[in-house]
């Protein structure tokens, strides 16, 4: 399942692996039109804040939930509202959806894609919230910051992060 779908680049990138998108969540007309054109069979669940447990359960078995909450509030090019921002704060909806997908669909993995600015908003505390939520642990910002790669473990499992060059 993919939420915050955009134009579905992940779907295309993972086709050679045999992975198929089971559903997505998108509200912007252009990305919806692109996905409908290329993959009319994939259901759009719409606004991530309105997706219900019933909608998630109806998807059936899935392995992975992928999401890239909007980056504008985390990006160094933005106003740096961080996870308190209206757009980037949708990360919390992704976590809600993942927990439902884990419960109802057997999802085992969660991938959160975003910008390097996520490491530094609010002194790194925003990325701490992300890692803590994903790992199921209360983690503080490491001395020297998060770095471009690392790992943490908690009650929910292992979390790894890595900065990849978008080029």
């Amino acid at each position: 399942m993919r939420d915050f779908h955009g134009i579905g680049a992940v779907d295309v990138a993972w086709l050679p692996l045999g992975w198929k998108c089971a559903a997505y969540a998108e509200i912007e007309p252009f990305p919806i039109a692109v996905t409908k054109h290329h993959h009319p069979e994939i259901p759009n669940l719409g606004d991530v804040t309105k997706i219900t447990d019933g909608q998630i359960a109806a998807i059936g078995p899935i392995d992975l939930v992928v999401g890239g909450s909007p980056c504008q509030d985390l990006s160094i090019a933005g106003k740096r509202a961080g996870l308190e921002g209206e757009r980037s704060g949708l990360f919390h909806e992704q976590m809600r959806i993942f927990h439902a997908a884990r419960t109802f669909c057997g999802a085992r993995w969660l991938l959160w894609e975003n910008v390097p600015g996520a490491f530094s908003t609010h002194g790194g505390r925003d990325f701490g919230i992300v890692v803590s939520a994903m790992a199921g642990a209360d983690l503080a910002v490491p001395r020297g910051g998060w770095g471009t790669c690392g790992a943490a473990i908690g009650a929910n499992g292992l979390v790894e992060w890595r900065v990849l060059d978008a080029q």
Side-chain angles (χ1 to χ4, degrees):
M1 179 183 164
R2 172 114 169 108
D3 52 44
F4 317 105
H5 193 251
I7 61 169
V10 168
D11 306 338
V12 174
W14 288 350
L15 278 175
L17 300 174
W19 293 15
K20 293 185 220 170
C21 180
Y24 69 99
E26 183 59 65
I27 61 171
E28 295 296 326
F30 178 74
I32 291 169
V34 170
T35 301
K36 279 189 179 182
H37 174 75
H38 292 289
H39 302 285
E41 74 284 0
I42 302 174
N44 179 7
L45 303 180
D47 184 337
V48 295
T49 66
K50 296 177 181 165
I51 294 173
T52 67
D53 287 352
Q55 287 176 292
I56 293 169
I59 295 169
I62 58 174
D63 292 314
L64 170 68
V65 174
V66 178
S69 51
C71 67
Q72 293 93 331
D73 300 317
L74 297 168
S75 173
I76 58 171
K79 294 183 179 175
R80 310 287 283 162
L83 293 179
E84 295 171 5
E86 180 180 339
R87 295 170 289 193
S88 296
L90 290 174
F91 162 77
H92 301 292
E93 293 296 327
Q94 181 179 351
M95 289 304 303
R96 178 185 64 80
I97 290 166
F98 174 69
H99 289 301
R102 184 182 237 181
T103 300
F104 300 114
C105 306
R108 298 180 290 165
W109 296 296
L110 171 64
L111 184 143
W112 181 65
E113 176 273 330
N114 222 285
V115 295
F119 293 129
S120 59
T121 52
H122 296 118
R125 290 185 303 280
D126 283 339
F127 192 68
I129 290 168
V130 169
V131 174
S132 295
M134 291 174 80
D138 188 19
L139 303 168
V141 178
R143 191 176 321 161
W146 292 101
T148 58
C149 64
I153 194 161
N156 294 344
L158 176 67
V159 174
E160 298 179 57
W161 62 92
R162 176 81 179 187
V163 174
L164 301 175
D165 188 339
Q167 297 178 46

